[in-house]
Amino acid sequence: MKRQFSRFFGKSKKRSALLAFSTVTVLAAVSVGQEIKAYFTPPEIFVAKPYVQLGQGKIENEKVSHDVLFLARNDKHEWELEYKTAGAKSWQKAKPLIKSVLEESQPEAVSLFSTTLSGLPAGKPFTYRVYRDGMETFSANAKAQVAENQAFKFIVAGDLGAGSHGQKRIAQRIYSESPDLWVMPGDLVYNMGLLSDYLARFFPIFNADESKEAIGAPIMRSTLCVPVIGNHDIAQSVMLAPTNLNRMHDALGYFLVWSAPLNGPLKQFQGPNICPIVGTQSKLSAFQQGAGKRFPQMANFSFDFGNTHWIVLDGNYYMDWSNPEMRKWVSEDLAKASSAKWKFATFHQPAFSTDLYHLKEQRMRLIVDTLEKGGVDIVFAGHAHNYQRTFPLHFKPTTGKMNHDGTVDGAITLDKAYDSTENTKPNGIIHIVTGAGGARLYSPTDNAEINRMGDFLLKQISDCHSYTVCKVDGGKLTVSQISDAGKVIDKFSLKKD
Ligand SMILES: [Fe+2]
């Protein structure tokens, strides 16, 4: 049968034009003396089709490197990848693919294949294609990270992979925006962030072959998406208990399938401010091998994109943002980014939210003073499955420690003069919750306690799935919240000289 395949498709790359291999049904056998034909569909080539990632994402001399990743079975095939910038004459070979087995040793274990495409001109489109055993099996177009002087558009939306109609509609809407970047502030896939959750409710929808309301859209293969870790990404089966690999062997998919800058402060496998994990030695080793340096480094990191600087933080239960070393890393990172026109912080658990479910999860208020000093303009969070925007605000903590009930005492000062039209320079950070990306929506009455908690909320919309679109053009930043029906449900802008 293998020979029939070769004859049918040819071995030469030039002759191969096989883009949707898995959908091709091949004649397998003809029963002697009968007209009945038996067919079989070849097994899926990919467990998750190729997708582009920021990788280390550093621009030098207007050139940038990005990673392409895909998941396939741990088999004996030979993989190659080549790429070409729009307008270039020839294809360039990518570095040999690196394989990391993501499951405990077993035949056909799921493996991550990754490579880096270097020398991509900033902000320019490029095409990449993947070969298995010399046959082209996949091809996609993407766009490289923009340079400092280029205007660009980014999306922020979290609380995503629930497999819902809302998630699929949001995927389709976001794809139609053709963003340069999508930042995902946590709860990337439900319910536990397992590798198997990614395969069921994340990749099939966000890396679908076509853009359709009932399916999803081909976003991951074409758009740089940046992850943020949320509470559903750490497989917590019991509140505040360590992630248990004996119960869920494919937990912490966050550290297995993403490639974001590894410039965070945490480098040990275990210790303070690191997600605690338990399991047999073989399960722990399998995870450690699959994740490599990404665990725990990729829980906190930073990157530049155009004229913006982003700091991505972990807001989960094991984090102590009163810790001097963690605070020092945040403050130094923001100070180093002094040339960035705009600075954004993103984490899952909002510092300021009015939803009833998370009123006492104020852990991230502990780091807000450092973000303010570092010049952060907007904080993007998720966790509450709705949209919220605060007035620009300053927060002055009273003790700098979290209370036993999860609250953080301090004084909030609001800037009510900022109106986005006459007054476009906010005094303080605007905190946005954009957690309506696909998970079950919270009730519109969830802001019932707003007055008791402080009058910091300017807008809340809970009756539709939605996402945030930001357009950056030099010193002008426009932020719009768009519903899954394409309606603008909030809009404001900021200006800087
Ligand atoms: Fe969530």
Side-chain angles (χ1 to χ4, degrees):
M1 188 47 55
K2 214 171 175 181
R3 250 180 277 127
Q4 279 187 348
F5 258 19
S6 296
R7 277 207 303 274
F8 188 80
F9 295 117
K11 281 184 176 170
S12 139
K13 286 179 187 174
K14 283 182 185 165
R15 281 190 286 147
S16 66
L18 182 60
L19 299 179
F21 186 81
S22 60
T23 60
V24 175
T25 305
V26 178
L27 179 62
V30 179
S31 305
V32 177
Q34 291 182 28
E35 289 299 310
I36 301 165
K37 291 172 182 174
Y39 292 85
F40 85 101
T41 301
E44 284 288 341
I45 290 176
F46 298 107
V47 176
K49 289 185 178 174
Y51 53 101
V52 67
Q53 290 277 277
L54 190 63
Q56 297 315 298
K58 278 221 174 296
I59 293 188
E60 277 169 31
N61 301 325
E62 306 273 300
K63 295 278 172 74
V64 66
S65 300
H66 292 310
D67 291 354
V68 172
L69 290 78
F70 60 85
L71 300 176
R73 296 286 164 194
N74 179 22
D75 52 28
K76 300 273 184 272
H77 296 288
E78 277 182 30
W79 295 96
E80 282 179 289
L81 197 144
E82 60 182 18
Y83 61 105
K84 190 170 83 159
T85 306
K89 283 189 185 132
S90 54
W91 290 85
Q92 202 174 333
K93 252 195 176 144
K95 290 175 190 149
L97 287 134
I98 296 166
K99 183 170 83 173
S100 319
V101 181
L102 301 187
E103 295 180 303
E104 269 188 298
S105 179
Q106 54 169 301
E108 302 260 302
V110 172
S111 298
L112 177 81
F113 292 79
S114 66
T115 185
T116 301
L117 318 186
S118 50
L120 296 165
K124 289 268 187 311
F126 63 93
T127 305
Y128 59 96
R129 53 193 191 193
V130 180
Y131 292 91
R132 189 179 79 160
D133 298 333
M135 289 199 299
E136 186 182 328
T137 56
F138 183 88
S139 161
N141 299 319
K143 192 176 162 195
Q145 177 180 348
V146 300
E148 202 175 338
N149 56 357
Q150 293 170 317
F152 74 100
K153 184 199 271 190
F154 67 88
I155 303 281
V156 192
D159 302 81
L160 301 164
S164 65
H165 292 302
Q167 180 194 356
K168 292 169 187 170
R169 281 159 67 92
I170 288 291
Q172 202 193 13
R173 291 282 332 148
I174 288 176
Y175 183 69
S176 74
E177 300 271 1
S178 300
D180 297 284
L181 170 73
W182 177 5
V183 175
M184 303 172 163
D187 281 4
L188 306 173
V189 67
Y190 292 88
N191 199 30
M192 292 286 179
L194 310 179
L195 179 59
S196 46
D197 289 332
Y198 275 90
L199 301 182
R201 285 174 290 282
F202 192 87
F203 289 117
I205 294 167
F206 291 137
N207 202 16
D209 283 332
E210 54 185 332
S211 179
K212 266 196 175 170
E213 192 174 312
I215 298 173
I219 302 172
M220 296 292 290
R221 66 189 63 184
S222 57
T223 308
L224 296 167
C225 298
V226 172
V228 179
I229 196 161
N231 57 305
H232 280 271
D233 299 306
I234 57 167
Q236 253 196 294
S237 51
V238 181
M239 279 297 274
L240 311 187
T243 303
N244 190 330
L245 297 182
N246 293 341
R247 283 192 187 179
M248 290 165 281
H249 76 282
D250 61 340
L252 298 167
Y254 178 91
F255 297 99
L256 301 176
V257 303
W258 293 92
S259 178
L262 299 176
N263 57 6
L266 301 167
K267 296 179 174 65
Q268 307 294 321
F269 189 72
Q270 282 175 323
N273 295 306
I274 294 171
C275 180
I277 312 176
V278 293
T280 60
Q281 196 49 51
S282 71
K283 287 200 163 50
L284 288 169
S285 308
F287 172 71
Q288 202 168 6
Q289 235 166 2
K293 285 184 183 167
R294 288 173 294 190
F295 184 84
Q297 230 168 325
M298 217 170 61
N300 300 276
F301 59 93
S302 70
F303 64 96
D304 297 320
F305 203 99
N307 65 356
T308 67
H309 180 75
W310 290 80
I311 188 160
V312 177
L313 305 179
D314 185 349
N316 277 320
Y317 73 93
Y318 45 82
M319 296 302 297
D320 173 13
W321 284 107
S322 67
N323 176 293
E325 282 171 37
M326 295 302 294
R327 296 172 70 81
K328 185 166 173 268
W329 174 73
V330 172
S331 122
E332 287 179 357
D333 179 82
L334 293 171
K336 268 190 274 174
S338 55
S339 66
K341 185 65 117 182
W342 301 98
K343 291 184 191 175
F344 304 121
T346 180
F347 38 81
H348 182 62
Q349 290 86 346
F352 299 94
S353 173
T354 59
D355 74 281
L356 293 174
Y357 298 107
H358 307 302
L359 277 180
K360 292 189 173 170
E361 289 183 58
Q362 299 177 1
R363 173 184 316 276
M364 296 312 286
R365 288 191 189 188
L366 291 173
I367 197 67
V368 166
D369 56 340
T370 311
L371 302 179
E372 284 178 22
K373 276 184 211 135
V376 166
D377 298 288
I378 300 181
V379 167
F380 295 99
H383 206 32
H385 299 173
N386 57 20
Y387 168 71
Q388 299 176 43
R389 168 162 66 108
T390 69
F391 289 99
L393 64 83
H394 290 281
F395 180 71
K396 199 163 179 249
T398 311
T399 64
K401 291 279 174 197
M402 192 169 72
N403 299 322
H404 289 301
D405 67 356
T407 56
V408 174
D409 297 329
I412 300 173
T413 312
L414 304 177
D415 170 13
K416 291 197 172 178
Y418 164 78
D419 61 8
S420 164
T421 48
E422 296 295 312
N423 181 346
T424 53
K425 292 180 180 159
N427 180 7
I429 295 179
I430 296 173
H431 293 259
I432 290 179
V433 170
T434 178
R440 183 190 59 79
L441 292 167
Y442 285 4
S443 156
T445 56
D446 284 340
N447 64 349
E449 296 223 359
I450 175 175
N451 293 329
R452 190 174 72 79
M453 297 306 294
D455 189 14
F456 54 76
L457 191 73
L458 180 58
K459 194 132 192 175
Q460 182 185 62
I461 295 158
S462 298
D463 60 0
C464 58
H465 285 105
S466 66
Y467 59 97
T468 312
V469 183
C470 303
K471 290 179 186 165
V472 183
D473 191 355
K476 186 167 185 210
L477 171 65
T478 310
V479 182
S480 310
Q481 193 69 16
I482 313 285
S483 76
D484 57 348
K487 194 175 148 209
V488 178
I489 54 176
D490 190 22
K491 189 168 185 176
F492 62 97
S493 57
L494 292 76
K495 274 188 191 151
K496 281 190 184 184
D497 301 325

